[in-house]
């Protein structure tokens, strides 16, 4: 989905969160449902890649822009 790199070399390390994970992306005053499929630390940035629902488009953002919901689908809780 994305590659954190510097001078053509990958610098990302996996974040220790369960994947895939359900979440809401907070953007422009809205909470968009999504599934996080990638999570990396690159220097001082924690970044995630997600599939936004229901359109199934991709998004990349910082971890703090997402409300994590866990690995169980919200409708099954």
């Amino acid at each position: 989905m994305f590659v954190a790199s510097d001078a053509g070399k990958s610098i990302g390390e996996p974040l220790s969160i369960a994947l895939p994970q359900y979440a809401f992306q907070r953007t422009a005053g809205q909470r968009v449902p999504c599934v996080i499929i990638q999570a990396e630390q690159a220097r001082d940035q924690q970044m995630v890649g997600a599939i936004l629902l229901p359109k199934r488009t991709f998004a990349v953002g910082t971890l703090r822009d997402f409300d994590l919901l866990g690995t169980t689908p919200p409708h099954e809780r």
Side-chain angles (χ1 to χ4, degrees):
M1 173 147 216
F2 68 88
V3 176
S5 63
D6 184 15
K9 294 183 181 180
S10 177
I11 60 170
E13 297 289 332
L15 285 177
S16 61
I17 65 171
L19 296 176
Q21 179 151 174
Y22 297 91
F24 285 107
Q25 181 190 34
R26 293 185 314 278
T27 181
Q30 297 181 345
R31 293 176 73 213
V32 179
C34 62
V35 177
I36 295 174
I37 58 171
Q38 181 178 357
E40 293 187 11
Q41 172 87 29
R43 297 194 175 110
D44 63 345
Q45 293 289 319
Q46 293 180 322
M47 301 174 291
V48 298
I51 300 171
L52 303 179
L53 303 173
K55 294 184 179 182
R56 297 186 180 175
T57 56
F58 295 103
V60 175
T62 62
L63 182 60
R64 68 176 181 261
D65 295 329
F66 292 82
D67 296 324
L68 304 181
L69 301 175
T71 59
T72 303
H75 65 276
E76 293 182 9
R77 290 187 205 162

